[in-house]
Amino acid sequence: MKLKNVFFSVLVLISVNIFSQNAVNEIETKSGIHYLRTTINYPITGTYLFNGGEPIVELNENGTGFYQLHDQPKRPINWGIECEKTGEAIFKKGFNTAAYSLWYQFLTTYEEDMNLEWNLVPFTIHFNTLKMFIQGERVKSYTEKELKSKD
């Protein structure tokens, strides 16, 4: 009986974690209501580097991470990829690329920066080079193996 309870508890926790990662979150910005999710069919989580180092952007699976502006320390963020209210990711397909909208919000402020608004930056995937870019300058590579594991 005890083993059944442990098994059931683990199953519930795994299910909640899977569904929460695919959840659609609503945010309000100056431009209106937007919907975000933290997963698409590509391995977007990880660390994005500028010229092989800092400043970085780090995206975690749970919608948290860090965003580092030039000449500033890393700051914690919430983030998401824009999607429809139904959860379908919004993107523009180009020749060997796909362009998404990445929204992020700093979780803490500096005295000189009291802005906790949501910020919009471009997120692109380049299929031929197996690279993903945030703002066209922070880059992360991915492999075909990682891509197949997302299917």
Side-chain angles (χ1 to χ4, degrees):
M1 185 67 170
K2 189 173 187 179
L3 184 59
K4 283 184 182 180
N5 288 340
V6 170
F7 177 74
F8 180 73
S9 297
V10 169
L11 185 61
V12 169
L13 287 173
I14 290 171
S15 299
V16 167
N17 190 31
I18 288 170
F19 288 116
S20 68
Q21 288 179 8
N22 293 322
V24 174
N25 296 308
E26 181 180 293
I27 63 167
E28 187 171 351
T29 71
K30 291 179 182 177
S31 64
I33 301 293
H34 298 272
Y35 301 96
L36 306 179
R37 63 179 299 149
T38 59
T39 59
I40 58 174
N41 291 332
Y42 289 87
I44 61 175
T45 57
T47 303
Y48 293 75
L49 304 173
F50 176 78
N51 291 334
E54 291 187 349
I56 69 161
V57 175
E58 185 178 317
L59 304 179
N60 299 321
E61 288 182 12
N62 65 357
T64 64
F66 293 93
Y67 204 105
Q68 184 177 21
L69 299 173
H70 287 274
D71 299 321
Q72 292 191 16
K74 295 188 298 185
R75 294 170 62 187
I77 60 165
N78 285 326
W79 68 274
I81 298 290
E82 188 156 9
C83 65
E84 300 287 347
K85 189 174 186 177
T86 60
E88 184 178 335
I90 299 171
F91 67 97
K92 291 182 184 171
K93 186 154 175 51
F95 182 72
N96 293 318
T97 63
Y100 296 81
S101 296
L102 174 74
W103 288 90
Y104 72 93
Q105 176 190 48
F106 288 118
L107 297 179
T108 58
T109 63
Y110 289 121
E111 289 137 16
E112 68 273 3
D113 176 20
M114 294 305 290
N115 181 8
L116 291 179
E117 296 292 324
W118 284 91
N119 301 286
L120 174 63
V121 292
F123 178 90
T124 57
I125 301 173
H126 300 255
F127 308 124
N128 285 346
T129 60
L130 301 178
K131 294 183 187 276
M132 294 177 270
F133 291 86
I134 295 175
Q135 285 189 283
E137 65 177 22
R138 322 285 172 94
V139 65
K140 174 189 170 244
S141 297
Y142 66 96
T143 65
E144 289 289 338
K145 184 178 178 181
E146 287 176 299
L147 185 58
K148 289 179 182 171
S149 70
K150 296 297 282 181
D151 292 336

